[in-house]
Structures are given as C-alpha cells and as structure tokens.
Amino acid sequence: MARDRRETTTLIQGLVFSVLMFGSIARAAEPKAANIAASGTAPELIQTYMAGKDAGFPATFSMGRGFQFIGDYLYVSTRAGGGIQYFKRDPQTGTLTYVDSVAHSTLKASFSLSAAGGRLYGLGLFVWGVTDGDKHKVLSWFDIDPNTGKPIEKGTIEVTAASWGEQLLVGPDEKDLYAFLWTPEGNKFMRYKLGADGKPEKAAEITGGGLSASACLSPDGKNIYTAGDHAIAIVERQATGAIAYKKALSLNCIVELKPPEVIEAGDLQASVSGISPDGKWLYISLGSRIARTKNYFGIFKRDPATGELTYSEGGSDADPRYSSLASLGGMNLVFGPDGKSGFITNGRCLVQQFQLEAATGRIKILNDVVLGKPGEIKCRPYGCLEADFKKGFLYGAGVWQHDSYGGCSRGLWSAKFNPAAAPSGTERADLQTPLVAAANTKAAGEDWPTKLGVNGDGKSSLKNIRKDWSGGLKKVWEVTGLSPGDSTWSTPAVLGNKLIVMGTHGFIDEVFCFDADKGGRPLWITDLSGAGDISQYGGRDGWCGGPVTMPCISGDKVYVTQSGKFNCLSMTDGKVLWSKTVVTPCHTYAATPLVCDNLLIVPGTFQADGKKAFLLAAFNKDTGDTVWTYDGVGNFSGGDSPTFGHVSPLRMKINGVDQIVYNTGALACGLNIKTGKPIWEYPFEAKGSNVNASEPVSDGSTVAIMLGDGAASPFGLQVEGASVKPLWSKIPNFRAYWSDAILKDGFMYTFSSDGLYSAGNSDFRCVDLKTGQPKWVQPKTGCGTTLEVDGHLICLTYSGDLWLVNPSPEGFKKVTEWKGAVKQEPWWTHDGGKTPAPCWTTPIIAHGKLYIRYSDTLTCYDLLN
C-alpha cells in the first residue's frame, strides 16, 4: 500500500487530523481548456462501509488519529477504549471487511499509528482522566500475525509526562521514529531508533518554536517541517537519522497580506499538509481560532540545497484573488509515483484528482469522486487518505450525515482509479456528456441570454413546437458532473451557439461554456474564487450547495454572480476581466444582473472598502467602473433582512417611460437607467419576506410585486410618473415564492405556494393583474416554474413533471404532460439524502431546444421534432 515506501512512492506525510480545522490550497481563477483525454478518466467510488449499518461492522467504530495500512490490512485507532480495529482488503476488488478489534493494555483514548519494518507503532494517551499521570504519553509497538493480520502487542514505553497531541513520522530507511509532543514546558520533537526486534530506544530530544503535531519529511530526507500556531519549524536531519533544530519561520508573511477583517495575527492554527515530490513546494493549511468558518492556505518555495523556505503565495476563502479547497481535518495531499499528480480530500463529500503546476506549486483539479452514490447519503471525509498506486485504490474514513441536526454514522470508503493512466493536462474528466441524438442545428426562435429571455418576460418567439409529450421529448445531449455531490440550481443562458452554465465542485464555483447545438465537452471552464462559506458576506447553507444565479450574456462578455462576488468573463476564453463584491443574502446569491445599454445593473453591492452597501449599483459593463448607486429609502441592510432577497432587476416601460423596476421585501421602485435616480418608490411592510425570488410583472401601468414568504403575498401598484397607488394586496393563499408569473392578455399565470415544497395547498392559478383576484385555481399541483412558447405555457413542477398548458381565463387546460421528465435524486445539501431534491431551476428555450437544469445535470431536448 501507499505506506510501503519500497513499493509505492511519495505518499505525503503530515496529514492533519483535527476535524475542527479546515485547510485550503491556492487555485488560480483562470480558464481551463477542455481537452479531455482518455487518461483523465475519473476515479469511481466502489464502497461506503458504515459502522453499525453494514454487516459485520460494529457500531462502536469511532475514528481516532490512526489510519495505517500494512499489506492488505488496514489498522484504525479508536477514540474510546484505546483499541485498534482492523480490516482486511480484497486485493482484487479493493473492498474492506471488518476483522476484529484489539484492546490495548494501558491506553484508554485514541492514539496515532505508523508502520515501519512490517510492524505497527502507536503513540497515545495513558489512562485519560483517571490518575495524576493521566496525560502521560506511551509509545507501543506491535507485531502482525501474517495469517490473520492481528496486531500482537510487544511492548510499551513511557515517552513523557503531561503532554498533549501526537504524531509519529517514520524515517525513509524505516530505522527511526520521530514523535511530536505538546507539553507544558514546550513542544518537543523526539527521535527513537528502532532495534532489530522493533523496540524503540530514545536517541534525541529537541525543542523550539513552531514544533507541532503535524509534520512532513522532505523527499531527500534532509529536512522535517512542522507547523505550529504562529510559525513553521525547520528541522535538519542527517543521513544517520540524527536531528537538529534549525529555525522557525513566522507565519506573519501570510497575515500581512490580508485585511484585518479576513485574518488577524495570533488567530492562526497551522498544520503542514505536504510537500511536492520534487521537494520544491511546501503546503501549509491554516485555520482560525476565532472564526472556524475561515480557512487559509499558504504555498512556500523550498530550496532543496539548504532546506530554506520562502513564502510564495496564499489566500483565504474570502480572498478575491484565489480559490481554495477546504477539508475536514486539514488538506490531505497524496502524490502518485509520477510526482506530477495525485489526490486530495475535500470537506464536502469529495476526493479530487489533481495535477501539480510545477512552475508555481499550484494544484489544478481534474475531476471529483463523490463519496456517496445516487440514492445514498454522502460521506464527508475525515482527515486521512491512503492510495495504492500499484493497484489503483483509494481509501479513507468519513462521516455520513443522516440529517441536518447531527445524526451521523462513521466508517470507511474506497474508490478505484486507473493507475496506468496518469492525467496529462486534462480538466474535469468526471464530466459525462454522451451525445444521444443528432443535434438540431436548424435556427429557430431566438437566444435566451439572461433572466426571463431577451425581452425579460419569460416568453419565446418559437413557433410550431411539438405538442405530444406522452412519450417524452427527444434528448439532444446531456452533461452530468456540473456540481457533483451538491444540489445546485443555476439556470443556463444561451447566445448563438454558446451555452453558459454555472456549477461547483468542492468549494470551487465554476463557469462552463458548451456548444449549445452539439453539447459534448465544454469549450472552456473557469474557476471562480471566493466560493464556499464566506462568513463576512453571508453564504451558503443546507439549501444551496453551489451557485443558484443565472448568467447574463451580452456581446462578447458573460456576467455571473456567486456567494460574495460578481464577475465579468470573456465569452471567448472564460478569462475573468473584472470582479466586484456583492452582499450574499440568506441561501446564497440568486439575482441575475441586468444589461442596459452600456450599463450593468447589479443588486446588493459593497463599496471598495467593504463598509457601505447599496441596494443597486450600475457599472460600466466593459470596464467595471461605477456609474451610479442607489441606496433605496434607508431600509437596506443586506444579509437575511427582508429588505433583500433574490429578485433580479428588470427593464420595463411604465407609462412609456423606460426604467429599471426592482423590489425587495420592503421596497418597490422604478429607476432612471442613466442616473439611478428614483422615478417612483413604494416602501411597504412585509415582515418575514426574506426569500423574495419572483420577478415583478407589468402591463405598462400596473406593476405586480410577487412576494411570497411568511405573512407576505403579492400586491399590485398603479404607477403614473412619480405617483404610486396600491390597487390590491393580501390576496388569501396567494404567494409567489420562486415562481415567475407569465402575463398574457391581462392575466398572470403562476404557481402559488404554501411553502418551498410541492405538498400542501400549493396550486396553479390564473390571476387578474388589475384586481389580484384569481379567475381560477387548479389545486394540489405543487410548486413549479413557468415560461411561454408558441402561445402555450411550459410548466416544470417541483417533482419533475413537465406540462404544456393552453393559457385561458376560462380554466386550466393541459394540452400534454410528460410525467417524470426529471428523475429526482437525493437532496445532497439539505437533509442528507432523505428526500428528493426539488426541481427549482426554470427551463429555458433557445433555437428550438428546451434546456432543463437539475442539480448536477443539464439536458437539452428538441422542441420541434
């Protein structure tokens, strides 16, 4: 296995095991070519093995600090009881089977494990909380029964008194052990020589700043690096195994580059994550003592001749210059024998295959392994990762979250990859894009480049669509892998033959550009920084695992929003041209920006100093320069406030006046496009309405504001210049939530929901725009989304059914229906897979095709044939 250094090379030492700390690593916000070669195929999950859930695996499993392979046996230390549980690996299939548990003679708590010379070594705590010597460390060693794999305890020695934390590091010749200890007198680094019988004998003890319980050995064996709270310690190692403390490098080099609200001196808990196989790059993950949602990383360049380190670059989840990967238990890097690629765990539910950028030390992600199959709850990996590069197996431990309130199971997982096919410049090879039918290249209808289409009304000019859906629609192409392991709701946008859609993998948001006619591999992919849990701006929660906003395409640029950031990208190659900060409301950012002439209108923005929030801001769409800002009427506070939701600004003509119409949960307004000055404003009280996700509707004089949360309901306004008069409000049982209404001949057709879900009293209704009163109500339909084409309505229900409806004030007239058009899968990010994820994303129509996004998948259907 990977720990056998004579057979498989370069498994990075220094894995960090604290599940409270997140680590991260730099990833440039730059486009990636989509040259997907066969060598880049993604690893495949082959086993999820849960304690107490699967046959033969006792419920007492509780992962400690030890995770160690010897041959085909895996040894894991347990948190309680101080024992070792061990598992047998099938060498052909790679699956694990529980064998037995072995108690330790003195240990009562978890201890770290390492292997040398075919023996198992453990460093742990002695009789925790029982005697005055309850914090003594002991070092134990075990022989392994060759027939059964059972650990046989051979001896125990006391290491030191009153110490905390531990890690064992094995020398390259397997003749030395190095133990890291925290003690009241200071941190210690101890060397033990291993005798012929395996017994460790103390040979040296050193102290110094930066020494801590995470470490790695340089590939040349000349240096050991450890990371403490404020520094990285450099230890020199001789060919004989002798060690000497050299120096400590302060971590202030990272702190000084960050603004005070992002990172503070003395607020760091650091750990060594690994070192590149060429010995040139050292990776450090950092967590915040004060705000555990903040994650940092640093890349240090190493001089192989002297062992000296120089800070290269780094960042945080909130740093606009970088992307980051965060992992429960730290960042865990495993490099393969080629020294150029390997695997990394990600704290959401992923193991990711990466490629080393040798010139910069950066890690480029190629594809993902989701630790949980469809229909299963997903696994969040622990801070451990093992790889067998000869046979092509990955192993780790993790937590399966059963609900949102802490119910979980612990256990192991394994995955299979092709060891003979090393990645060679490929990107996101886990994207699956089978072309299942000939593409319809006949030009029909128009583009759909932004929210609600080219006219901002949810209507397509396409004619002569197919009106029998009993057998479904013909699939043109489909792509999966846009957001593996996450429920994501971003709607695609189409301009010409290019389709833009957002996705995510791990904590990295992505923008994909596909050929809208042919599908296939993406034309380009761009990583976006600033994703994940951005505490200073708000962020994602269990409802949203990735981007939920729709891109806006205008000319040669595409504009996308995400948690904490707004970005302008080149349509040619996906290069980020400029970025702005945006306020993230509850359940992340869902508003689509609006292009008006040379302006781009964006809701919820910060000034450069990050202290002044605006309700709307207009930027030059080419340069990003601020043209005007709009504060509202003093009621905007951002965040979860009812004053800001997910509504996108729209361009409308009200009484012949071209203007921007926008609303929050406490204000409706019409603004002058060029100046941002209010033409009219209407503040109102809508307590509890903080999930405003439906756009305003207007016939040119009456404006319907489509609220729908808590006690709020839509209301109608009569607008005449600066004069605003309420026409109707508080219509019983009328709530829009996230369903955009379609206006036709003076009537609004929309879903009215009693909540976010499909059950209960949700209905589909026809509403008189002038009175707000329903002409008819079709009950018990569940929630859904609506758009218009060829004089008909296309409705996608929450549960995945697709309707074609003839809009008429005389009653509900369903022309055809495709039951189960969307095959629902577990709701990854919300409740651990207990219920199906909803169909929240509104379909779009462009050039004769219907595009439906459902979480990880985007499907293109032919509407004409």
Side-chain angles (χ1 to χ4, degrees), residues 482-534:
L482 296 176
S483 52
D486 279 312
S487 300
T488 304
W489 320 111
S490 176
T491 301
V494 172
L495 182 66
N497 69 334
K498 288 187 176 180
L499 178 146
I500 304 294
V501 68
M502 296 188 71
T504 188
H505 64 117
F507 287 87
I508 306 298
D509 286 348
E510 291 180 314
V511 184
F512 298 88
C513 178
F514 291 95
D515 186 315
D517 293 325
K518 301 177 182 178
R521 293 299 184 185
L523 304 175
W524 51 258
I525 310 171
T526 296
D527 293 346
L528 294 178
S529 60
D533 185 356
I534 307 172

Side-chain angles (χ1 to χ4, degrees), residues 196-522:
D197 60 353
K199 181 178 180 180
E201 295 183 2
K202 185 177 177 180
E205 177 181 311
I206 61 175
T207 60
L211 292 174
S212 188
S214 70
C216 72
L217 180 69
S218 62
D220 56 18
K222 294 180 179 180
N223 295 103
I224 297 173
Y225 299 92
T226 79
D229 291 344
H230 308 291
I232 304 170
I234 304 176
V235 176
E236 292 184 333
R237 180 185 176 276
Q238 302 298 319
T240 61
I243 54 174
Y245 182 84
K246 183 175 182 180
K247 65 184 297 184
L249 180 65
S250 172
L251 289 172
N252 285 340
C253 56
I254 299 177
V255 174
E256 290 167 358
L257 297 179
K258 306 295 169 285
E261 69 270 18
V262 176
I263 189 170
E264 298 176 0
D267 183 31
L268 295 177
Q269 291 178 312
S271 58
V272 175
S273 299
I275 191 168
S276 61
D278 60 10
K280 293 181 178 180
W281 303 101
L282 181 75
Y283 303 96
I284 303 294
S285 60
L286 305 122
S288 168
R289 291 176 180 273
I290 300 171
R292 295 193 181 275
T293 58
K294 295 180 180 179
N295 314 306
Y296 315 101
F297 55 82
I299 302 179
F300 290 79
K301 189 169 185 177
R302 175 180 179 265
D303 186 332
T306 65
E308 293 284 345
L309 299 175
T310 303
Y311 176 65
S312 176
E313 62 178 334
S316 73
D317 285 345
D319 191 324
R321 297 173 301 166
Y322 296 101
S323 300
S324 66
L325 300 176
S327 170
L328 289 172
M331 183 178 61
N332 305 289
L333 289 169
V334 177
F335 282 94
D338 64 355
K340 299 177 181 179
S341 60
F343 298 93
I344 183 172
T345 57
N346 182 290
R348 287 192 175 216
C349 60
L350 305 174
V351 174
Q352 298 174 309
Q353 192 171 23
F354 68 80
Q355 189 172 53
L356 175 67
E357 191 176 276
T360 64
R362 293 173 180 168
I363 297 298
K364 298 177 68 176
I365 299 302
L366 304 181
N367 48 53
D368 306 320
V369 182
V370 180
L371 301 181
K373 298 177 182 178
E376 298 177 343
I377 55 175
K378 65 182 179 181
C379 168
R380 295 181 180 269
Y382 272 171
C384 52
L385 183 64
E386 291 277 0
D388 181 345
F389 286 97
K390 275 194 169 182
K391 297 181 178 179
F393 295 117
L394 289 171
Y395 298 93
V399 176
W400 283 260
Q401 195 77 23
H402 296 292
D403 55 51
S404 301
Y405 304 98
C408 61
S409 294
R410 293 174 171 83
L412 308 171
W413 58 266
S414 57
K416 173 70 175 175
F417 64 97
N418 183 359
S424 54
T426 63
E427 297 292 348
R428 291 305 310 278
D430 54 331
L431 288 172
Q432 301 297 318
T433 55
L435 192 64
V436 298
N440 172 24
T441 57
K442 177 184 176 182
E446 69 276 285
D447 299 315
W448 199 285
T450 189
K451 187 71 176 284
L452 299 179
V454 290
N455 297 314
D457 56 8
K459 300 181 180 182
S460 168
S461 63
L462 183 67
K463 302 297 182 182
N464 301 316
I465 67 169
R466 178 182 171 186
K467 296 182 177 64
D468 179 8
W469 296 356
S470 57
L473 294 171
K474 185 196 303 184
K475 185 185 294 185
V476 180
W477 58 268
E478 181 174 87
V479 58
T480 61
L482 296 176
S483 52
D486 279 312
S487 300
T488 304
W489 320 111
S490 176
T491 301
V494 172
L495 182 66
N497 69 334
K498 288 187 176 180
L499 178 146
I500 304 294
V501 68
M502 296 188 71
T504 188
H505 64 117
F507 287 87
I508 306 298
D509 286 348
E510 291 180 314
V511 184
F512 298 88
C513 178
F514 291 95
D515 186 315
D517 293 325
K518 301 177 182 178
R521 293 299 184 185

